[in-house]
Amino acid sequence: MKFGTGIGIVISCLGVAMGATMEGTNVMVVINVPAILIVLVGTLGATIAACGLESHIRVPKLFMKAFMPEDLNLVARVNQLVGFADQARRDGLLALDEAVKGIDDPFTRKGIQLVVDGTDPDLVAAVLDAENDAMRKRHAAARNPFMQAGALAPTMGIVGTVFGLVNVMNNLNNPSSLGPLIAAAFLATLMGVGSANVVFLPMANRLKELSEAELHFREMTLEGILAIQAGDNPRVVEEKLMAYVPPKDRPTEADKQASAAAAKQAA
Amino acid sequence: MKFGTGIGIVISCLGVAMGATMEGTNVMVVINVPAILIVLVGTLGATIAACGLESHIRVPKLFMKAFMPEDLNLVARVNQLVGFADQARRDGLLALDEAVKGIDDPFTRKGIQLVVDGTDPDLVAAVLDAENDAMRKRHAAARNPFMQAGALAPTMGIVGTVFGLVNVMNNLNNPSSLGPLIAAAFLATLMGVGSANVVFLPMANRLKELSEAELHFREMTLEGILAIQAGDNPRVVEEKLMAYVPPKDRPTEADKQASAAAAKQAA
Amino acid sequence: MKFGTGIGIVISCLGVAMGATMEGTNVMVVINVPAILIVLVGTLGATIAACGLESHIRVPKLFMKAFMPEDLNLVARVNQLVGFADQARRDGLLALDEAVKGIDDPFTRKGIQLVVDGTDPDLVAAVLDAENDAMRKRHAAARNPFMQAGALAPTMGIVGTVFGLVNVMNNLNNPSSLGPLIAAAFLATLMGVGSANVVFLPMANRLKELSEAELHFREMTLEGILAIQAGDNPRVVEEKLMAYVPPKDRPTEADKQASAAAAKQAA
Amino acid sequence: MKFGTGIGIVISCLGVAMGATMEGTNVMVVINVPAILIVLVGTLGATIAACGLESHIRVPKLFMKAFMPEDLNLVARVNQLVGFADQARRDGLLALDEAVKGIDDPFTRKGIQLVVDGTDPDLVAAVLDAENDAMRKRHAAARNPFMQAGALAPTMGIVGTVFGLVNVMNNLNNPSSLGPLIAAAFLATLMGVGSANVVFLPMANRLKELSEAELHFREMTLEGILAIQAGDNPRVVEEKLMAYVPPKDRPTEADKQASAAAAKQAA
Amino acid sequence: MKFGTGIGIVISCLGVAMGATMEGTNVMVVINVPAILIVLVGTLGATIAACGLESHIRVPKLFMKAFMPEDLNLVARVNQLVGFADQARRDGLLALDEAVKGIDDPFTRKGIQLVVDGTDPDLVAAVLDAENDAMRKRHAAARNPFMQAGALAPTMGIVGTVFGLVNVMNNLNNPSSLGPLIAAAFLATLMGVGSANVVFLPMANRLKELSEAELHFREMTLEGILAIQAGDNPRVVEEKLMAYVPPKDRPTEADKQASAAAAKQAA
């Protein structure tokens, strides 16, 4: 899941640039200040109008997140939760109190803390569900500027091109200038469609997929925490949680025996 | 969350205007009476047909709301509700009767009043849910003229441009007038796409986001009111409600101690 | 909520007609028989194919409904239901038997009749829910021809224009006829986009909003009927139902005292 | 509900043909083999790729179904079910055993058979729900080729036209052939948009409406079967099921008395 | 359900190629390196940006899956499950322990294993539901690159064409080169629309249908496993599961007797 977005944008730009160069166009023409002003500044203003200033401050962080997404290790999390289930079954839920401090993930830590505090199971589920729901909404709001930009940029490109063509039509009596003027008018369309296709829409989709993966991860964690609180058999907890793991990532019987052997040897 | 929409529309217009000027077009050409009549009056009529006259009377108020949205302070509301939970636990639900008058927000006031009146918890939830559901529908109906205008304006622009081109085609025997006539025909497209992209669609999205934020705010409030009525421990109420607050806005342990110390000093 | 659709269509047509006239086009050119045949008859045939003949028989009635929608007086309905709740509480549910005949609205009458007949509350809710669900489906089917026409007319316009351009291309050797032929070809696009934007799409949206308003009205009524059957306190019934009324239409305390005084004086 | 689709397609084709003829185009030009190959065969191949070969074998049957839909007589079904309720109440559920053989509709027969067999009510509901759900999925899969074709045909038309224009551009040195070549190129667009608008999209919508009507019919039947099993009063069963019937088709009191009198006379 | 996708793509390509050839275009022109670079490499990069590198590694496997889908034999699965129900009823659930090893399908095996292990029915349902839900999400993520490519390729085609036209406009002083240059510019549109229509969109839809069919298959299996665990009568289990089978595939009474006779003869 790593580096995909950055690599993809580079591949896409290279493909377009090489193709255009082979056709005989100087790719540098796209760096056309009027087109940039109309399309990129015009789109930026419209997305600020649509989503507020605040959500634009997070944009650089979102690029970072999409370019270098966190690795969500489902199997490690299952093992961690099965470990807690094991410990809770042997020594009681209070025995997890010490483990809580060692948990890196704030969501898991909050959940286990609630369990250790003896909170009612329905309330644990309600609080963690509310956390997930609020995260889902936050993520949706955060990627909305990219979705808006993806929808608006191509039509801002048309605005730029039509402005250019209006200019062309008012200069019909000077035929030799028409070609370059029309070419310049088209650059706004290029800028609009290109930025939407290569940056805005892929970013919006990527952030959506990362958000869904994180929610899936958290749903599994929530399921595990509730199972720990219910005092389920660790083997049952593992069975339950492994359903969330893609079959190809699930440890085989051989893996399990090897890791058990390694654990024994280490002990 | 403040002023985003106004600033965004200004940035977008400036970007487009500067780009067009650099290309050599006089931006003032967009103030073209036939284009305005066809696109803006035509779209206004169609949205009145689609949404009724009444919903257009609210349009200026909606611009105000989008330009200067209310600040929804989630943390302050949590603290207020935790305060009520504390008081109710110490002195009984009836003790909130006096507090009711001091509550600014009508939704919170109505909810606490119902609780003080000893209304059945299911009924409190039903009444407040109905309030929220009705608000959601009202908001959706209120922003619908903007959504309709965003969808219709670009095609009304095409209507205007095609009318212009019909005119052009009937004047083909007068070649010198063609350029300006075609340019004028294009202005309707500019007006249609521009008004949709820079005003109507961003406004519709902004109003949707503000509506969702308000609903989120109210859902948290409803959760808190029900917890107060259930006599939940104030610490549990806080835990529950903080799940609705974005992590970065949640008070840290240090904040809490500082505010506790300040409260003590003030006392 | 009155007359909005008719007025809107007139405003839209006037705006377009005035703009086109100022541009120098004779608006009467749109009354072009080939364009009307291709676009309007072609679209009519396609919507008949899509929705059946029967749903087109209702179209004139739907125009009437959209042009002069019934006034849904939420407050009057609340007062009526609170009155029934009051009477039922004082004199028992059977006392409503006489009131039933005086109820104009068939949905309310059916509901109260079921209550008077001593039908099981779950069954009352099920029957009235089924009524509402069936109405929602009927309304959706009824407005579907407008939605289909709104989606198909612009592309039927393209069919007409392309037919015209095929004709143009086969007459290239007669240059003087080209302008008027191209102009005529464009009229089909105008007809298609114009009829969709000014009539079909607004009508479809308007009918949807009216349907939603009626469902909202009926949901409130259903809630009230069930509360009456449950023997709820009339003040509680009012509280519950007022949540469905927009805040600005709710009677203030002053209104209530005035109406109470008027009632007393009348008595 | 009868014959609508066939009539609609004929009306649409006639409208387009007459309009085009009046414009001066020979309608027969649309029978253009290259355009048919690119648009219709190209679209057919793409829908086979999208939906599998099997779903295309059912296409002729679907045309038959859309052209001559079964008549779903809601009132007759209500009367049948009320009759069963009456018989079951008088003579017990087993008395329906004989009636089962006389039921034409397989869904009703299966339901009543399950009831007669003494199947648990929850299981009856589960089996019949699963039947309906499976039917809904089958219908959706069956109409999908039409939806895919409706979405793909216009763009296959563009493919055909662009191929034609590529050909035109390579023959620019032969100006007299340009007109007919461009005209021929446009025919693919006509074929694509026309077939989608007049056949594929209306068929897809029609099949959807017929499927929804059948599901509505079956939901009513299921409701009735469960009421019969529960031993509900026949008058209550009628009340319940009539909610599914459009108000204008419901028998009035006068109708009922007339039919009761007729029944008595017949007896 | 076999081979549909491969055959469809071949039919579609043949149709387009034959049509284009008859029009006089050399089909081989579409193998245009700049168009391929801009459209296919550009789209590939954008889908990598949108969906990550990992999901592209599975693409060849997905083509295999769509070209040669597994045959889901609903009736065979029903018979297998009814057989288990029969055995469980006769010899108890533990008797299935031996059968488990012989089950090919991992989902069925896991479910029966859970049942044999005496797992709580709610937990069996929860684990298998989580499996299905996770599979649904995995499938949706897996086909997303095709959906993204289907949406992006046509607009990448426009990018390529506009680049070509910019080039054309800068060579207006060399009229003899214009035709071939414009033709080359159009090839990018052809490539974009064609690849989306003939490959990407049909593949995305096909994978969606296959995923839905597999989920339907598994839902039926889950229903059967729970019925086995509940100790339902095998005849009831069959009745329940047959509801998932299309009526035309259900064995008739004659089939059943024939197979019973065959079984007897074989025994």
Side-chain angles (χ1 to χ4, degrees), chain B residues 151-171:
Chain B
L152 294 173
T155 37
M156 290 312 289
I158 290 177
V159 167
T161 295
V162 175
F163 258 122
L165 292 180
V166 167
N167 195 19
V168 168
M169 289 300 149
N170 287 326
N171 285 285

Side-chain angles (χ1 to χ4, degrees), chain A residues 161-179:
Chain A
T161 296
V162 175
F163 258 122
L165 292 179
V166 167
N167 196 19
V168 168
M169 289 301 148
N170 289 324
N171 285 286
L172 282 184
N173 47 356
N174 182 6
S176 70
S177 73
L178 289 185

Side-chain angles (χ1 to χ4, degrees), chain D residues 46-142:
Chain D
T47 59
I48 289 175
C51 309
L53 262 173
E54 273 189 22
S55 25
H56 285 75
I57 295 165
R58 277 169 297 184
V59 161
K61 255 174 76 181
L62 291 172
F63 270 109
M64 291 300 296
K65 201 171 168 184
F67 281 22
M68 284 178 295
E70 258 183 284
D71 207 19
L72 303 174
N73 191 333
L74 286 159
V75 173
R77 177 69 54 92
V78 172
N79 289 337
Q80 186 187 33
L81 291 166
V82 170
F84 291 154
D86 203 37
Q87 199 180 344
R89 200 153 163 116
R90 272 190 287 109
D91 311 324
L93 284 171
L94 289 178
L96 295 176
D97 200 15
E98 245 166 89
V100 168
K101 283 154 214 152
I103 303 173
D104 286 333
D105 175 56
F107 181 76
T108 317
R109 192 168 57 235
K110 180 168 188 178
I112 299 288
Q113 183 67 61
L114 286 167
V115 167
V116 169
D117 293 354
T119 317
D120 184 76
D122 283 353
L123 187 54
V124 174
V127 170
L128 296 182
D129 266 338
E131 283 277 357
N132 286 346
D133 195 50
M135 185 184 82
R136 198 180 47 69
K137 287 180 188 168
R138 277 200 310 276
H139 284 184

Side-chain angles (χ1 to χ4, degrees), chain A residues 190-212:
Chain A
L190 265 188
M191 183 71 68
V193 177
S195 62
N197 270 16
V198 177
V199 180
F200 302 141
L201 293 173
M203 276 296 293
N205 186 69
R206 183 63 163 165
L207 291 170
K208 186 157 172 250
E209 289 200 348
L210 292 174
S211 170
E212 281 168 3

Side-chain angles (χ1 to χ4, degrees), chain A residues 43-90:
Chain A
T43 301
L44 176 69
T47 58
I48 289 176
C51 309
L53 263 172
E54 271 187 23
S55 26
H56 285 74
I57 294 165
R58 278 170 296 185
V59 162
K61 256 174 75 180
L62 291 172
F63 271 108
M64 291 298 296
K65 202 172 166 182
F67 281 23
M68 284 177 295
E70 259 183 284
D71 208 19
L72 303 175
N73 191 331
L74 285 159
V75 173
R77 176 68 56 91
V78 172
N79 289 338
Q80 185 186 32
L81 291 166
V82 170
F84 292 154
D86 203 37
Q87 199 180 345
R89 201 154 163 115
R90 273 188 287 109

